[in-house]
Each structure stands twice: as structure tokens, then as C-alpha cells.
Amino acid sequence: MRNDERLLRDVQATSFLAHDILLYLDTHPDDREAFEAYQRALGDRREAVRAYEQQVRALQPDGLRRQSAFDWVDEPFPWQ
């Protein structure tokens, strides 16, 4: 697996985990342990997104490296 694929898979896995815990919290809002796991998952997701954007390209327009020009449309999209 190429490095960019591995990094994107990390983003996908951490996003899935955070969302899955969030769904659990919808029905168990007082579960403190689950809430702490959700906070950790969000941190892991932020780190995965940062690593991907630093080494590959922006995943969303707010992850652009250059702030002097709007070049979002000039780069290939993550799924390309």
C-alpha cells in the first residue's frame, strides 16, 4: 500500500471510530467512559487529517497549505 493510501485509510478509520462512538453517545449520553473515548478518537482523527494534509494534499478547502491563493480546485481531489 502506498503511503498516501495508508494515510487516507488512517483518516477514514479514525473518522469511522469517532462517528461510531458518537452514535453510541446519542443513546447513552451519560456514559463518561464513552465520552472520553470519543474525545480521544477526535484527537486521533485530527492528527490523521493533519498528517495526510501535510504529506499529500488538503482534504477540505480549510486544509489548504497556501493561504495566499485559492488553489483548492487546482489539486486532484482525494479520491482521484
Side-chain angles (χ1 to χ4, degrees):
M1 179 181 304
R2 295 185 335 239
N3 188 50
D4 61 328
E5 292 172 335
R6 183 187 59 77
L7 290 169
L8 185 56
R9 192 161 290 186
D10 289 346
V11 171
Q12 293 168 333
T14 55
S15 296
F16 180 85
L17 176 61
H19 188 73
D20 198 44
I21 297 170
L22 185 62
L23 291 174
Y24 173 82
L25 285 169
D26 283 344
T27 58
H28 300 81
D30 297 327
D31 188 334
R32 186 77 182 144
E33 196 172 314
F35 181 72
E36 291 169 1
Y38 177 65
Q39 294 298 318
R40 287 190 303 274
L42 286 179
D44 292 346
R45 183 188 181 283
R46 276 190 293 274
E47 178 56 30
V49 168
R50 185 204 59 75
Y52 182 88
E53 290 183 338
Q54 185 177 39
Q55 295 181 35
V56 183
R57 68 181 69 86
L59 284 171
Q60 298 179 0
D62 62 349
L64 293 172
R65 291 184 205 136
R66 294 182 337 145
Q67 298 299 320
S68 60
F70 189 76
D71 59 359
W72 168 254
V73 297
D74 297 333
E75 295 184 8
F77 291 105
W79 56 87
Q80 292 178 317

